[in-house]
């Protein structure tokens, strides 16, 4: 067969040449240039995929790069055909320059349902309305309202044309309170576009993570940019992709950035690490960075190895459902150590029943733990749908060792009025272990409220290991509270650490 370039474009011509010699050869390709383009694309997507997926049908091997180029071209066309389903059967694909849409008229059904939820539950923040609850902080929009305002509370209905999110009950209130709304309008628009980007159907190269690297390659934990570069992540060339990537990576990297020997937190001025914190972290780093033992494959390479470092994530919620490749990034920071990640909390398996049905509680597994021990030789994950104090009282994890154990609390809300009662029984048990406890918060006010609550409940029997402050590896993506669109936060914005007070034995001179 001869390829008639007068009727066929160059890419299609190369594709026809690359499939010569195949036993299954569609006759439709002979008149490709004469038929409708839409039908041609359909034929190309059907037959080219079938032919390329069966290389054993070729009569001779080819070392040409034409096939690879055509495969790339076919994948590009396949990506164009990928779309997002609409309720009316209409197919859509959001381009990078078409991500802004008002929530209520979004092409994505998920976003439209979210807009309906916001309008049903969120209240207008205009100060003329009565308060719907007590203010939680000085920056809470409810603090601007009075208990006996001229208007009753009203749900939000009007969407700001600049950010596309329902924020006020009417256009009049939006215009009257525009200066106040302007403080968060740009951030709300960024949230809008990021949410549409996440559901746009595009390929996310920022979610491709590197694995092990040579130990001689030094890791730089100064900023997100230096960490991603020194860990050999794929280059992220725009801020939106960086925000999407850091939303997941903030959980393992926050832990690793504090425990690592190259941590950006130190005892220098402004380093936020206290002397007591240096003592606790030095004990953990002793086992996280062991010296080379000469171990290797075979019997001659067998060497004794220390037990895994246990990281207890108390009150686990969304972090328990993170892809395991994300948690493996913590392991890659410590290539010579083993980890046992223990996720504990009543919500640790929320919305994951189809993925991991809860096992029966038996004498050998009294708390119905879900154990994932095939992730990696260096990582084991156990999940307990139970309160920590119930596990602690029966000695399920005893003994605790400051050289091998660490607690992590992601956004615990220790001092939050709505959740502090759940921690009153757990806090004394955590302090009793004398093990480092790391905690994150949404804002500086949130963390200071937690610090004051811990000091008050412990009667001063607590040592601060890391002063409260901004987390260098916080999530760069902002999140929206659907119950209150004025409440915007980013995951793990701040981090601090504490521990039960330890008293060092001192020798007393009895002669004096």
């Amino acid at each position: 067969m001869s390829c008639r370039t007068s009727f066929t474009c160059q890419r299609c011509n190369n594709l026809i040449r690359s499939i010569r010699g195949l036993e299954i050869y569609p006759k439709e390709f002979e008149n490709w240039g004469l038929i409708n383009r839409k039908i041609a694309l359909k034929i190309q997507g059907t037959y080219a995929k079938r032919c390329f997926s069966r290389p054993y049908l070729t009569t001779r091997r080819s070392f040409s790069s034409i096939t690879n180029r055509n495969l790339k071209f076919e994948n590009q066309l396949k990506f164009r055909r990928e779309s997002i389903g609409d309720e009316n059967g209409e197919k859509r694909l959001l381009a990078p320059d078409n991500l802004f849409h008002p929530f209520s008229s979004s092409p994505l059904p998920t976003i439209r349902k979210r807009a309906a939820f916001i309008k049903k539950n969120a209240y207008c923040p205009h100060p003329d309305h009565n308060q719907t609850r007590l203010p939680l902080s000085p920056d809470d929009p409810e603090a601007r309202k009075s208990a006996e305002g001229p208007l009753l509370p009203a749900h939000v209905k009007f969407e700001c044309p600049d950010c596309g999110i329902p924020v006020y009950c009417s256009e009049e209130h939006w215009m009257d309170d525009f200066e106040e709304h302007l403080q968060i309008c740009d951030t709300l628009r960024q949230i809008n576009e990021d949410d549409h980007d996440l559901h746009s159907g595009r390929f996310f190269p920022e979610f491709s993570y590197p694995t092990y690297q040579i130990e001689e390659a030094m890791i730089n934990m100064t900023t997100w940019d230096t960490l991603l570069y020194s860990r050999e992540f794929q280059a992220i060339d725009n801020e939106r992709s960086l925000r999407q990537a850091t939303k997941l990576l903030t959980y393992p990297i926050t832990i690793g950035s504090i425990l690592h020997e190259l941590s950006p937190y130190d005892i220098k001025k402004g380093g936020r690490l206290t002397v007591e914190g240096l003592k606790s972290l030095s004990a953990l780093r002793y086992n996280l960075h062991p010296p080379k033992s000469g171990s290797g494959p075979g019997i001659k390479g067998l060497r004794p190895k220390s037990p895994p470092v246990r990281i207890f994530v108390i009150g686990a919620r969304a972090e328990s459902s993170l892809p395991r490749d994300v948690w493996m990034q913590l392991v890659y920071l410590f290539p010579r150590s083993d980890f046992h990640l223990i996720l504990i909390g009543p919500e640790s398996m929320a919305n994951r029943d189809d993925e991991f049905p809860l096992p029966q509680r038996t004498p050998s597994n009294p708390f119905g733990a879900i154990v994932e021990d095939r992730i990696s030789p260096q990582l084991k994950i156990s999940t307990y749908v139970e309160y920590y104090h119930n596990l602690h009282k029966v000695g399920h994890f005893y003994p605790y060792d400051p050289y091998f154990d660490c607690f992590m609390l992601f956004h615990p809300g220790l001092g939050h009025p709505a959740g502090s009662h759940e921690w009153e029984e757990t806090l004394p048990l955590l302090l009793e272990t004398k093990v480092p406890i790391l905690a994150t918060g949404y804002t500086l006010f949130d963390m200071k409220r937690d610090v004051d609550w811990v000091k008050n409940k412990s009667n001063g029997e607590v040592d601060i290991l890391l002063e409260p402050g901004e987390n260098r590896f916080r999530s760069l993506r902002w999140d929206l509270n659907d119950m209150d669109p004025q409440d915007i936060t980013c995951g793990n914005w701040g981090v601090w650490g504490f521990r039960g007070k330890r008293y060092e034995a001192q020798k007393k001179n009895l002669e004096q």
Side-chain angles (χ1 to χ4, degrees):
M1 168 189 158
S2 62
C3 297
R4 291 169 289 186
T5 56
S6 58
F7 299 102
T8 311
C9 69
Q10 187 61 34
R11 286 183 174 177
C12 300
N13 187 27
N14 292 336
L15 180 62
I16 296 173
R17 288 179 178 177
S18 65
I19 60 176
R20 282 181 177 177
L22 298 179
E23 294 179 4
I24 300 178
Y25 189 85
K27 295 183 179 180
E28 290 86 346
F29 279 105
E30 295 180 359
N31 298 319
W32 197 339
L34 301 178
I35 59 179
N36 184 276
R37 176 171 176 78
K38 183 176 181 180
I39 300 177
L41 290 176
K42 182 177 181 181
I43 295 173
Q44 181 194 22
T46 302
Y47 288 100
K49 182 176 180 181
R50 182 175 65 180
C51 295
F52 288 132
S53 63
R54 303 175 67 182
Y56 56 85
L57 294 177
T58 56
T59 57
R60 59 188 177 89
R61 297 177 61 184
S62 174
F63 294 93
S64 173
S65 61
I66 294 178
T67 303
N68 294 332
R69 290 201 302 268
N70 290 325
L71 279 172
K72 182 178 180 181
F73 174 56
E74 197 273 336
N75 289 334
Q76 291 175 351
L77 292 177
K78 181 179 178 182
F79 173 74
R80 290 182 181 178
R81 293 193 298 270
E82 289 179 353
S83 58
I84 300 172
D86 190 82
E87 292 178 348
N88 300 324
E90 184 179 2
K91 301 296 182 180
R92 295 178 182 267
L93 179 65
L94 299 182
D97 57 350
N98 186 33
L99 294 177
F100 175 74
H101 297 275
F103 267 29
S104 60
S105 58
S106 170
L108 305 173
T110 305
I111 303 296
R112 293 200 298 270
K113 291 180 181 179
R114 189 177 180 186
F117 181 87
I118 294 175
K119 292 181 179 180
K120 182 179 179 181
N121 295 277
Y123 288 94
C124 178
H126 195 277
D128 287 348
H129 293 285
N130 292 343
Q131 285 184 347
T132 58
R133 54 176 172 79
L134 294 176
L136 300 177
S137 69
D139 298 329
D140 194 332
E142 291 295 317
R144 302 167 55 220
K145 302 178 182 179
S146 62
E148 299 179 357
L151 297 177
L152 295 175
H155 290 287
V156 296
K157 297 180 181 179
F158 178 76
E159 288 181 335
C160 172
D162 296 325
C163 63
I165 295 177
V167 285
Y168 285 89
C169 64
S170 63
E171 185 177 0
E172 290 75 15
H173 277 188
W174 169 74
M175 295 177 62
D176 184 54
D177 205 32
F178 183 72
E179 291 185 2
E180 189 70 23
H181 173 69
L182 199 60
Q183 299 179 11
I184 61 172
C185 187
D186 291 341
T187 305
L188 290 176
R189 184 184 178 97
Q190 185 184 103
I191 294 173
N192 185 323
E193 295 180 354
D194 287 349
D195 285 342
H196 280 91
D197 174 64
L198 199 61
H199 296 82
S200 64
R202 72 173 178 90
F203 176 69
F204 291 88
E206 59 267 31
F207 293 151
S208 299
Y209 305 118
T211 57
Y212 294 96
Q213 64 185 41
I214 59 175
E215 293 190 34
E216 290 75 10
M218 192 72 70
I219 298 176
N220 190 330
M221 291 189 172
T222 305
T223 62
W224 272 116
D225 292 332
T226 58
L227 175 70
L228 298 179
Y229 177 78
S230 58
R231 273 287 292 124
E232 299 180 355
F233 276 75
Q234 292 189 19
I236 300 178
D237 55 0
N238 63 80
E239 294 183 359
R240 178 168 291 112
S241 296
L242 183 61
R243 291 196 296 268
Q244 304 287 21
T246 58
K247 181 176 175 63
L248 301 183
L249 291 174
T250 180
Y251 292 96
I253 301 301
T254 295
I255 300 175
S257 65
I258 299 175
L259 302 184
H260 203 276
E261 62 181 358
L262 301 178
S263 171
Y265 309 105
D266 51 39
I267 59 174
K268 297 179 182 179
K269 185 177 180 180
R272 294 170 48 195
L273 188 66
T274 64
V275 175
E276 292 297 326
L278 181 61
K279 294 179 182 178
S280 292
L281 295 183
S282 297
L284 283 169
R285 291 168 183 170
Y286 180 82
N287 291 295
L288 289 172
H289 301 280
K292 291 185 177 181
S293 60
S295 61
I299 297 179
K300 293 183 178 180
L302 293 178
R303 298 291 187 276
K305 196 172 185 180
S306 60
V309 175
R310 299 188 301 179
I311 298 179
F312 299 88
V313 181
I314 311 299
R317 295 187 294 271
E319 56 270 19
S320 63
S321 61
L322 285 176
R324 293 338 186 198
D325 288 343
V326 176
W327 281 118
M328 281 298 297
Q329 297 305 309
L330 176 63
V331 177
Y332 299 144
L333 296 178
F334 307 92
R336 298 185 202 164
S337 300
D338 296 342
F339 286 90
H340 185 189
L341 187 66
I342 304 173
L343 307 169
I344 305 173
E347 301 179 34
S348 58
M349 288 296 294
N351 302 322
R352 298 182 64 198
D353 294 339
D354 295 337
E355 180 184 359
F356 288 108
L358 294 180
Q360 296 292 332
R361 301 197 175 196
T362 61
S364 60
N365 189 11
F367 293 99
I370 299 174
V371 181
E372 303 170 60
D373 55 357
R374 302 294 180 88
I375 301 174
S376 165
Q378 291 182 256
L379 178 63
K380 174 183 176 181
I381 298 181
S382 300
T383 306
Y384 293 83
V385 186
E386 186 61 83
Y387 285 101
Y388 171 76
H389 56 260
N390 294 332
L391 298 168
H392 183 97
K393 290 178 180 178
V394 298
H396 192 67
F397 299 113
Y398 267 84
Y400 295 94
D401 192 333
Y403 282 81
F404 292 98
D405 296 332
C406 176
F407 289 99
M408 186 71 215
L409 315 179
F410 290 109
H411 313 115
L414 298 173
H416 195 282
S420 59
H421 64 281
E422 296 183 353
W423 292 97
E424 289 187 357
E425 190 174 359
T426 302
L427 179 64
L429 303 179
L430 293 177
L431 298 178
E432 177 187 309
T433 63
K434 311 299 182 183
V435 168
I437 306 169
L438 308 177
T440 63
Y442 289 113
T443 62
L444 185 61
F445 176 83
D446 183 27
M447 288 190 297
K448 288 185 176 180
R449 182 176 56 190
D450 291 349
V451 173
D452 294 339
W453 185 85
V454 169
K455 290 182 177 179
N456 182 36
K457 293 297 181 179
S458 63
N459 296 322
E461 294 294 316
V462 61
D463 289 327
I464 299 298
L465 308 183
L466 185 66
E467 296 291 342
E470 185 175 356
N471 178 15
R472 294 203 182 194
F473 295 98
R474 67 176 180 87
S475 170
L476 299 181
R477 177 182 166 179
W478 292 91
D479 296 313
L480 178 69
N481 182 1
D482 292 349
M483 300 293 292
D484 183 5
Q486 311 296 320
D487 182 18
I488 52 177
T489 57
C490 64
N492 301 325
W493 180 89
V495 64
W496 64 292
F498 62 102
R499 182 199 64 201
K501 184 176 286 293
R502 301 184 64 179
Y503 294 93
E504 302 294 340
Q506 297 181 356
K507 185 177 180 180
K508 185 177 181 180
N509 190 354
L510 300 178
E511 296 179 356
Q512 295 180 355

